[in-house]
Amino acid sequence: MTQNPSRLAQTARSLPIALLRARETVMGPYRAMLSESGISEQKWRVLRVVSEKGPMEQTAIATAACLMLPSLTRILTAMEKDGLLSRAIDASDRRKSIVTISAGGQKLIDDHAARSAEITARLRTQFGAQKMTLLLDLLEELTEADLMTVV
């Protein structure tokens, strides 16, 4: 083992790398499910967010679905073309666009709901319900931390 003069954490214990490994582990079964419908993870996240929260403005979708706004704009164009959602100009602020899930988009969510719930239940069983709850709470706390002031 070589010395690490910069005092970087070993990659095996690096939080950014550990989070990426965990993401890949968790997303594998969901990716397999989504590939059957030919829908990307990003589109699935958009559908989930709009289905759950109702019609909403694009910036709010970008934040909730963890997407950059320029990427979301591209994705929304494709999803609108595929009949998964619709966009309309906000009557109170014509600079904003309100996104609504379509019947086809909701059908896609409904078609995958049981399998998605199975995957989630299997993860919860394998990892443990208490540990899953703790992990989600800790990740939420980490997300809310102001890490930019640490720099």
Side-chain angles (χ1 to χ4, degrees), residues 26-41:
V26 169
M27 284 306 300
Y30 292 102
R31 277 192 196 111
M33 173 190 75
L34 295 174
S35 71
E36 295 170 8
S37 296
I39 188 164
S40 69
E41 295 172 47

Side-chain angles (χ1 to χ4, degrees), residues 54-113:
M56 56 194 300
E57 197 270 323
Q58 288 183 196
T59 305
I61 295 170
T63 300
C66 301
L67 292 165
M68 302 297 292
L69 194 53
S71 296
L72 176 64
T73 302
R74 238 182 3 263
I75 290 166
L76 291 176
T77 299
M79 293 177 76
E80 195 171 24
K81 183 180 173 188
D82 292 342
L84 299 174
L85 51 78
S86 63
R87 290 187 281 184
I89 301 299
D90 185 345
S92 63
D93 185 346
R94 300 195 51 77
R95 296 169 295 174
K96 294 181 179 180
S97 177
I98 303 299
V99 177
T100 304
I101 194 166
S102 69
Q106 189 59 54
K107 182 178 181 333
L108 189 63
I109 292 282
D110 295 344
D111 289 349
H112 286 24

